[in-house]
Amino acid sequence: MSVLIFIEHTEGQIKKASLEALTYGARLAEQTGDTAEGLVLGTPSDDIASLGKYGVKKIYQVQHDILHHFDSQVYTKLISHIAEETNAQTIIFSNNPAGKSLAPRVAVRLKAGLVAGAIALPETKDGFNVRKNVFSGKAFANVDVKTEKKVITLNVNSFTIAETGGTAEIVQYEATIDTPKIKVLNTTKTTSSIALTEAETVVSAGRGLKGPENWKMVEDLAQLLGAGLACSRPVADAHWRPHNEHVGQTGIAIAPNLYIAIGISGAIQHLAGVNRSKVIVVINKDPEAPFFKAADYGIVGDAFEVVPKMIEAVKKVKGLS
Ligand SMILES: Cc1cc2nc3c(=O)[nH]c(=O)nc-3n(C[C@H](O)[C@H](O)[C@H](O)COP(=O)(O)OP(=O)(O)OC[C@H]3O[C@@H](n4cnc5c(N)ncnc54)[C@H](O)[C@@H]3O)c2cc1C
């Protein structure tokens, strides 16, 4: 029996979230005495055999032109078929847009119990008990999965990537692939170069910045830190920034290692999407701003004074000034 981990790639590169899922799946397999196996759909340019260093012994790969575009229905059928054929007991996805779309569909096909948003390895001594986030990270739930097969989506940035060494055997899998019911006519890339859900650091700003003309300093700071750019909802609603930067309950949920919030009050709906960040730095001129309660570090001050000073400091550390 095996633990099957779905490996995602974008623009040829394996996603960091998949490295977390691989480490998680390999540790689970070790715990249950199963084999950890990966599944790649399509043809990434990254060397997939080297993913063996995260603990997977074997990686199934299906290569076909149709798989170049993500299609939930086509992918679901293929993943479910391979999971059945390879006797996978547990199938692991990342809790990101692709994983959220695929996992429930695969779970239905396999008649498997689904845990969405796991944050820790299952307790398998007595049953199969998985800890997950609920209420936008405000509480935890321990879920007992009673079905023979299980599907788990792992919260992004909740499990440390670990390398154990080794190379995976690549097995080219021949499978019948359905003709998609939809056709992608074109795709338009968003302006942001770093995907928010993958970013290690995110610099975010809110209405405290007064207007879109003041974002240059936020962009400069983000660029210096190699960070993704985010914003609060009113900022996106007012078209100061594009909606793909909107984080929170109704926007993207992120969990970077470092979240820097500039001129954002810290409303509960905003926190719902960012409170899983490892370290939160808040810059706000109001010492009573609610965000300070959720912050690891807080700077009470005017963003228009603090941010340029931060930029100078980062430049100095990087030897750029
Ligand atoms: C159903 C629902 C869903 C929602 N979903 C989301 C969501 O997904 N994401 C989201 O962000 N919001 C969401 N909201 C909106 C949310 O309630 C808040 O209104 C919003 O987050 C506030 O945005 P803000 O902090 O940028 O603006 P404000 O609340 O106006 O706060 C601006 C902050 O900037 C500070 N400031 C002002 N000038 C400066 C300065 N010069 N230097 C430093 N600080 C300064 C102020 O002290 C203040 O704290 C939702 C609301 C509802 C009802």
Side-chain angles (χ1 to χ4, degrees), residues 14-31:
I14 304 298
K15 287 193 171 184
K16 179 176 157 264
S18 290
L19 307 186
E20 292 166 14
L22 282 165
T23 309
Y24 181 89
R27 289 271 299 280
L28 173 61
E30 212 176 280
Q31 203 173 295

Side-chain angles (χ1 to χ4, degrees), residues 205-210 231-235 246-252 262-270 283-286 289-290 301-304:
R207 221 157 26 183
L209 257 75
K210 320 285 186 233
C231 68
S232 65
R233 176 173 163 169
V235 161
H246 156 201
V247 290
Q249 184 185 314
T250 46
I252 302 171
I262 307 165
I264 301 176
S265 56
I268 190 157
Q269 297 89 354
H270 185 86
I283 302 163
N284 198 303
K285 69 174 184 185
D286 175 9
D302 188 331
F304 297 98

Side-chain angles (χ1 to χ4, degrees), residues 256-260 276-281 296-297:
N257 289 333
L258 174 62
Y259 182 70
I260 303 177
R276 289 195 305 106
S277 306
K278 296 257 158 62
V279 174
I280 297 179
V281 176
D296 296 283
Y297 299 94

Side-chain angles (χ1 to χ4, degrees), residues 29 38 81 87 91 97-98 100 114 124 160 241 260 278 280 287 309:
H81 172 75
N87 202 16
I91 300 97
K100 284 178 187 172
L114 167 70
T124 50
T160 310
R241 299 298 298 175
I260 303 177
K278 296 257 158 62
I280 297 179
K309 281 186 183 154

Side-chain angles (χ1 to χ4, degrees), residues 11 189-196 227-229:
E11 294 181 345
K189 273 187 74 175
T190 55
T191 44
S192 158
S193 54
I194 300 173
L196 276 180
L229 270 174

Side-chain angles (χ1 to χ4, degrees), residues 28-80:
L28 173 61
E30 212 176 280
Q31 203 173 295
T32 54
D34 293 326
T35 330
E37 298 180 340
L39 171 61
V40 173
L41 301 186
T43 317
S45 40
D46 275 354
D47 171 26
I48 54 173
S50 70
L51 297 176
K53 63 175 177 261
Y54 302 104
V56 278
K57 302 276 175 270
K58 194 187 273 182
I59 295 177
Y60 301 101
Q61 182 178 26
V62 188
Q63 301 193 71
H64 196 286
D65 284 352
I66 288 178
L67 300 173
H68 288 166
H69 285 292
F70 177 78
D71 182 306
S72 310
Q73 288 170 320
V74 173
Y75 273 43
T76 297
K77 206 166 168 192
L78 204 48
I79 296 168
S80 309

Side-chain angles (χ1 to χ4, degrees), residues 198-272:
E198 293 275 303
E200 300 268 346
T201 303
V202 171
V203 177
S204 184
R207 221 157 26 183
L209 257 75
K210 320 285 186 233
E213 65 281 3
N214 294 323
W215 244 261
K216 172 84 172 63
M217 63 178 186
V218 183
E219 288 169 346
D220 287 350
L221 182 61
Q223 199 186 6
L224 274 170
L225 296 173
L229 270 174
C231 68
S232 65
R233 176 173 163 169
V235 161
D237 285 347
H239 304 295
W240 293 1
R241 299 298 298 175
H243 260 293
N244 60 292
E245 289 182 8
H246 156 201
V247 290
Q249 184 185 314
T250 46
I252 302 171
I254 55 170
N257 289 333
L258 174 62
Y259 182 70
I260 303 177
I262 307 165
I264 301 176
S265 56
I268 190 157
Q269 297 89 354
H270 185 86
L271 290 176

